[in-house]
Amino acid sequence: MSLHRSIRLAALLTVLSAVVSGVMAVADGHGTRQPSAASETAARASVTEGSVLHVVAHPDDDLFFMNPDLSRSIQAGTRVTTVYLTSGESDGRNEARGPHLKDPARPADRAAFAEARQNGIRGAYAQMATGDRTSPWQRTSVPTAGGGYMEVDVLVAKPHINLVWLQLREARSIDAETPDSLRGLWNGNTAALGAQLTSGTPVKQSFSYTKDQVIRTVADVLEQYKPTTIRVQDPTPGTWADNGRLIDHQDHMYGARFIQAASERYAKSTDRPHFSVQNYSGYLNTSLPPTLDPQTAEEKVRYLKTYAWLDHQEWCGSPAGCGDRKTAAKPAGYGWGQSIRYSRGDSTSWMAEGTPGRLWAFAVLDGRMAYWSRSGPRGEWRGPDLLPGAGMDPGATAVRLPDGRIAVFGTRTTLGAEPQDYARAVVFATQVSPDGAFGPWQTLGTPETTDAAGTSAISGPAVAVDRTGRMTVYIRDAKRTLRARAQTAPDGPFGAWQAWGGTDLQGEPVTATDAAGRRHVYAATGKTVLAWIQQTPDSPLKGPLPTKLPPTTVPLSAAPDGEGVRLFFRRPGSGALSTTLATADAPVPDLSPVAEAGGRGGYGAVGVAGPLLAGRGSTGTIGTVGMTGATSTTTGTGGSPLWSESRMLYTGAPAGLAEAAGPASMAVLGLDADLHVTTTASPTLRPGAPGTRPLWHHAVRH
């Protein structure tokens, strides 16, 4: 081992020596609590474990786009690390602009402005972790695998909270093609990208990185921290329909691509746990309804106000300033403070029943498709087993074929040797026989022809199976319209991609088949929900059809319900869960009145398993509620449905199904990259009633 490597490892081990190992504290929405050893039930229950690492382009991307997931993880006692790729130096002027803001303009000083942003971030993290923004940090300069240096900050009071600053130059423009940027480095327009050191950093040596050195540096950070969950921005946000410009900041987009490459390299190492990846939307939130309830949004903005140095008190002792005054004019951003969205992984259809009682669950771990299986209603879960092939994106969709075989679908990103080779495609694998091994991955490609403008922005797939066993795949394309590709015969080839129209489609489409065999497909827009429905089981889809539904927070869930399909979605501004029953007896879908199905607010998609619903509460933990038709079986104050909240944070979306034998089963992927499940044998589940609270537990015993 080289002396340089030895020094770097020694420094990192010193920084990480205080990190708590083993089971972390758990979140129950009311502070921090340790699992009770006195209760065997509590000891078996799933709690928040694992290690979370965020990677963002700029200081504040985490606060704007990954909160409240970030604060909930910190408050749960989870080991949390955030890596900042650039210094975010902008024009070097730490000044607030806007009405009634009369701060004098400071002289341009990029090093000082970058330092002020660091100070604001440290204050916000200290506040999230301890309640005191002045809680001190230990700041260290550490050599990197790329030949440069990074600043590593450790919160002294909570040493499992770390900040890592790579301090590269930012693009200094949202979408202009600046060669000296992450975009220019990725696309080969510059050979190396230099550092922009902050004025107060312990890093004193200037340096620059090639493309490979950035990837190597980030991959090595992953190897040192060994996260089980990696949170990153959207590598393919797409473009605005009206002007063709990038939807998101170029540093967000290309920074995320560097993380894709680094994660792929890290996945080849052997001394690490399994890990999952969660992608977050950025500027797109501006154009969509808010997702958070008022209390959660207020808490999120409170941390942003600390970062923005809104009170202008000299609490940090730095001549550069104690926060980002540019943010002071709009501490909530452009609607960002009221929202959080996942750009991938909202599918709730990743669990399926093969032969009776045999369950299969799928998730992407280590960039590969993983699966777990349960042999029967009383059998034990086994897994995870990983299918061959790297580059899988977060999210999976599984369907059952008529003979009991399972097919699993997802999307795969190919980085390629050249920048123009970067592309995404829909892929699938099918079991060779019921309960048997999976065959090789097959590709359906993409309706997009080039990634020149970020057009790999296709959604994850929704998949329908007709009575003969033919599969049809639906995706939202980069132009935000619906596209489909169908098999020409059972087990046969797929035809060409077909255009099904629609405009401004968001998120992933959902599909379900009613009792009469008629297929329904739904997709949310920024203002309503559009439908495509068969009038008879074998007729072509008709659509897009208006539903006249109000705006939603985007993620939809759909499940058969008698002669129709029941939709679940969240109300903007509250996160309360709503439901409606759609039937296909008329040329335009007939919808029942929208009813509340969720009580307390939350965010993200909701899994459906017969009478059992599961989703993320405002505390970020997984919650469940029992339903009978459109009416909750348990009500709280004023008749609102009562959710039974667990003490576990998770990633992605829940999946569920009502098994043929009767039980309702739910599954989530925890922050520990492990499968957690709950099952009820009662079709009239009453969460919250004595002795019937659903118990989430590890699917596979450890």
Side-chain angles (χ1 to χ4, degrees):
M1 181 182 290
S2 69
L3 178 61
H4 178 85
R5 173 82 171 175
S6 298
I7 293 173
R8 179 171 56 82
L9 286 176
L12 273 175
L13 288 173
T14 298
V15 169
L16 299 175
S17 62
V19 173
V20 180
S21 61
V23 177
M24 300 295 179
V26 297
D28 64 357
H30 302 283
T32 301
R33 181 180 299 172
Q34 292 288 348
S36 171
S39 167
E40 182 181 358
T41 298
R44 290 200 309 264
S46 294
V47 297
T48 296
E49 297 175 319
S51 172
V52 180
L53 186 140
H54 311 78
V55 193
V56 294
H58 311 117
D60 77 9
D61 291 340
D62 44 348
L63 301 181
F64 274 128
F65 307 123
M66 297 180 177
N67 241 350
D69 283 358
L70 167 62
S71 62
R72 299 299 183 247
S73 298
I74 290 175
Q75 292 158 6
T78 309
R79 178 178 159 188
V80 169
T81 302
T82 300
V83 181
Y84 302 91
L85 298 180
T86 78
S87 289
E89 69 275 9
S90 186
D91 61 359
R93 295 185 181 276
N94 194 12
E95 57 184 357
R97 299 193 181 101
H100 313 301
L101 295 170
K102 300 183 180 183
D103 288 359
R106 297 182 179 220
D109 186 337
R110 288 192 166 97
F113 179 48
E115 168 68 9
R117 296 186 77 172
Q118 279 194 346
N119 291 332
I121 287 291
R122 282 187 285 267
Y125 272 73
Q127 183 184 14
M128 286 186 283
T130 71
D132 178 8
R133 66 179 175 181
T134 68
S135 192
W137 295 79
Q138 176 189 347
R139 301 172 64 185
T140 309
S141 175
V142 178
T144 71
Y149 295 84
M150 61 188 181
E151 177 181 336
V152 178
D153 298 348
V154 179
L155 185 59
V156 175
K158 302 280 187 179
H160 56 279
I161 308 298
N162 285 202
L163 305 176
V164 177
W165 309 89
L166 299 190
Q167 300 191 84
L168 289 169
R169 185 190 192 276
E170 71 150 85
R172 302 176 186 173
S173 169
I174 292 177
D175 59 3
E177 294 198 38
T178 307
D180 290 329
S181 64
L182 291 170
R183 180 184 192 175
L185 190 63
W186 180 271
N187 288 333
N189 296 326
T190 187
L193 182 61
Q196 171 60 70
L197 300 182
T198 70
S199 55
T201 182
V203 176
K204 304 304 179 186
Q205 304 91 334
S206 185
F207 57 89
S208 63
Y209 288 142
T210 64
K211 179 178 181 178
D212 184 70
Q213 286 172 327
V214 172
I215 295 170
R216 200 185 325 156
T217 293
V218 177
D220 195 62
V221 170
L222 296 174
E223 288 182 14
Q224 298 305 322
Y225 282 92
K226 294 180 170 52
T228 52
T229 298
I230 300 174
R231 293 171 174 162
V232 66
Q233 294 168 277
D234 188 355
T236 53
T239 57
W240 295 110
D242 57 347
N243 57 25
R245 298 177 66 178
L246 291 178
I247 283 176
D248 215 341
H249 195 294
Q250 60 179 311
D251 283 345
H252 300 173
M253 172 178 171
Y254 284 93
R257 295 189 180 192
F258 273 102
I259 309 312
Q260 282 183 302
S263 298
E264 188 173 277
R265 184 172 298 196
Y266 168 58
K268 296 176 182 177
S269 63
T270 56
D271 183 22
R272 59 163 179 78
H274 288 306
F275 67 90
S276 68
V277 175
Q278 181 78 71
N279 294 117
Y280 290 79
S281 293
Y283 290 176
L284 179 63
N285 287 316
T286 299
S287 62
L288 297 176
T291 66
L292 300 177
D293 64 88
Q295 293 77 20
T296 304
E298 181 182 3
E299 179 188 355
K300 176 174 178 174
V301 173
R302 185 163 67 248
Y303 302 133
L304 283 160
K305 288 179 178 179
T306 295
Y307 166 75
W309 193 21
L310 204 64
D311 62 11
H312 225 170
Q313 294 181 8
E314 301 287 344
W315 61 267
C316 65
S318 170
C322 300
D324 178 0
R325 291 293 294 162
K326 288 186 187 298
T327 306
K330 282 184 173 292
Y334 295 86
W336 310 331
Q338 289 74 38
S339 289
I340 183 172
R341 280 189 175 83
Y342 309 122
S343 58
R344 308 201 70 76
D346 271 337
S347 171
T348 61
S349 301
W350 47 270
M351 189 162 65
E353 184 176 16
T355 56
R358 183 70 180 264
L359 299 190
W360 300 82
F362 300 85
V364 175
L365 299 179
D366 315 337
R368 297 167 62 182
M369 186 64 73
Y371 66 89
W372 295 258
S373 62
R374 194 199 69 184
S375 56
R378 299 184 182 275
E380 293 186 353
W381 284 91
R382 297 184 182 277
D385 294 298
L386 272 63
L387 297 180
M392 296 298 297
D393 301 313
T397 297
V399 293
R400 182 190 188 276
L401 300 178
D403 61 1
R405 288 178 299 149
I406 300 295
V408 58
F409 289 74
T411 63
R412 181 171 60 198
T413 295
T414 303
L415 301 177
E418 300 296 331
Q420 60 269 24
D421 296 333
Y422 184 98
R424 178 173 284 146
V426 178
V427 294
F428 73 101
T430 306
Q431 285 179 320
V432 177
S433 60
D435 297 340
F438 285 85
W441 285 108
Q442 302 180 61
T443 182
L444 298 179
T446 171
E448 313 298 345
T449 58
T450 176
D451 189 56
T455 52
S456 283
I458 60 174
S459 73
V463 184
V465 181
D466 70 12
R467 293 180 293 183
T468 70
R470 292 188 308 164
M471 297 184 289
T472 302
V473 178
Y474 299 93
I475 65 168
R476 184 215 71 233
D477 66 12
K479 295 182 177 62
R480 304 200 173 270
T481 68
L482 186 69
R483 304 294 290 270
R485 193 170 180 188
Q487 279 183 313
T488 57
D491 288 325
F494 280 75
W497 285 102
Q498 301 294 318
W500 281 99
T503 57
D504 187 38
L505 303 190
Q506 306 291 335
E508 300 180 354
V510 295
T511 183
T513 302
D514 63 27
R518 297 169 296 199
R519 184 179 309 163
H520 298 229
V521 179
Y522 298 92
T525 75
K527 298 179 179 179
T528 185
V529 174
L530 297 179
W532 292 258
I533 298 177
Q534 289 179 320
Q535 295 299 302
T536 61
D538 299 315
S539 65
L541 285 178
K542 287 191 175 182
L545 304 171
T547 64
K548 298 184 180 180
L549 285 173
T552 72
T553 61
V554 170
L556 303 174
S557 301
D561 188 347
E563 294 302 314
V565 165
R566 183 163 294 281
L567 291 176
F568 296 91
F569 50 88
R570 294 191 185 273
R571 292 208 311 266
S574 72
L577 185 62
S578 298
T579 183
T580 184
L581 181 66
T583 55
D585 294 328
V588 176
D590 183 25
L591 274 67
S592 67
V594 174
E596 183 175 287
R600 290 181 61 186
Y603 55 96
V606 174
V608 184
L612 183 63
L613 305 179
R616 187 178 278 103
S618 60
T619 61
T621 59
I622 181 68
T624 53
V625 69
M627 302 286 292
T628 300
T631 306
S632 171
T633 61
T634 304
T635 59
T637 303
S640 298
L642 179 64
W643 283 83
S644 173
E645 293 196 30
S646 75
R647 301 160 65 199
M648 181 184 65
L649 304 173
Y650 64 100
T651 189
L657 57 84
E659 302 173 46
S665 295
M666 280 286 181
V668 294
L669 189 68
L671 297 188
D672 55 1
D674 207 356
L675 187 70
H676 299 254
V677 298
T678 188
T679 301
T680 174
S682 171
T684 58
L685 175 73
R686 292 174 56 85
T692 61
R693 178 170 178 161
L695 176 67
W696 288 90
H697 59 88
H698 287 270
V700 180
R701 295 179 181 178
H702 296 282

